[in-house]
Amino acid sequence: MTTGVPTSTAPRRRSPARTFLPLAVAAWLVLEIWLLGLVADAGGALAVTAVLAAGLVLGVVVIKRAGRRAFRSLTDTFQQAQQGRPPTGRQPATGPSGNGMTMLAGLLLIVPGLLSDLAALLLLVPPVRAWIGRRTARTLERRMAAAPSGSFADAFQQARIHYPDGKVVQGEVIREDQPQRPEPDPGHRPPLAP
């Protein structure tokens, strides 16, 4: 069945990320299992269980604290908006991307393994978290700037436009593409159709 759209016979070039990501995940899994085996040899099954349980509990605590901090920040912003004050714009003490990176650290702590725990503990250090947040923001902005017009990244960029005065003008959009029809007379009833 043909649709009339010519299909390309040239092979599509696969991005390096799609090529090496499965290999990196497989290598990470093998390394995690090997490290847990080393801990089991050194301390026994109880040591491995204790390490995994401690990571799980610490990860849940970290995610819970970051979630509470994010909810408190959101509540403060809503209260300021209801009182007619502009938001203060102050970021939490952990930096502009602190809550997201802290939640990522908690998630990495929950994932069983020593390498993920080490990465999570590094993310919990404020300077490292701020550095990774800045790098991530720069990378995303570069990718959005390089995206073709009309793509999803373009729509995301439009949603992120910041106005310097922070004012919001409420209004209603009225389309004038079609001629306006006169309002029907309230006393007039159209005939019943059989």
Side-chain angles (χ1 to χ4, degrees), residues 15-151:
S15 71
R18 287 186 64 194
T19 303
F20 293 115
L21 186 64
L23 295 174
V25 169
W28 171 72
L29 287 174
V30 168
L31 192 56
E32 289 280 19
I33 292 169
W34 180 70
L35 286 173
L36 286 175
L38 287 179
V39 171
D41 286 342
L46 190 59
V48 172
T49 304
V51 166
L52 294 178
L56 177 72
V57 170
L58 185 60
V60 168
V61 168
V62 166
I63 288 177
K64 189 175 182 180
R65 288 188 67 207
R68 282 184 179 167
R69 195 169 43 238
F71 186 73
R72 192 177 321 119
S73 174
L74 180 67
T75 304
D76 290 344
T77 302
F78 278 141
Q79 286 176 350
Q80 289 172 358
Q82 285 178 346
Q83 294 171 358
R85 292 184 291 153
T88 57
R90 67 178 173 86
Q91 299 292 342
T94 56
S97 61
N99 288 330
M101 289 294 171
T102 305
M103 286 185 185
L104 177 63
L107 183 65
L108 285 173
L109 279 170
I110 291 174
V111 171
L114 298 176
L115 288 178
S116 62
D117 290 350
L118 178 65
L121 292 175
L122 282 174
L123 273 176
L124 289 175
V125 176
V128 175
R129 184 173 52 233
W131 179 76
I132 290 175
R134 285 192 306 268
R135 292 273 315 224
T136 304
R138 266 189 267 143
T139 302
L140 286 175
E141 291 200 11
R142 264 198 317 264
R143 285 183 179 244
M144 285 191 304
S149 180
S151 66

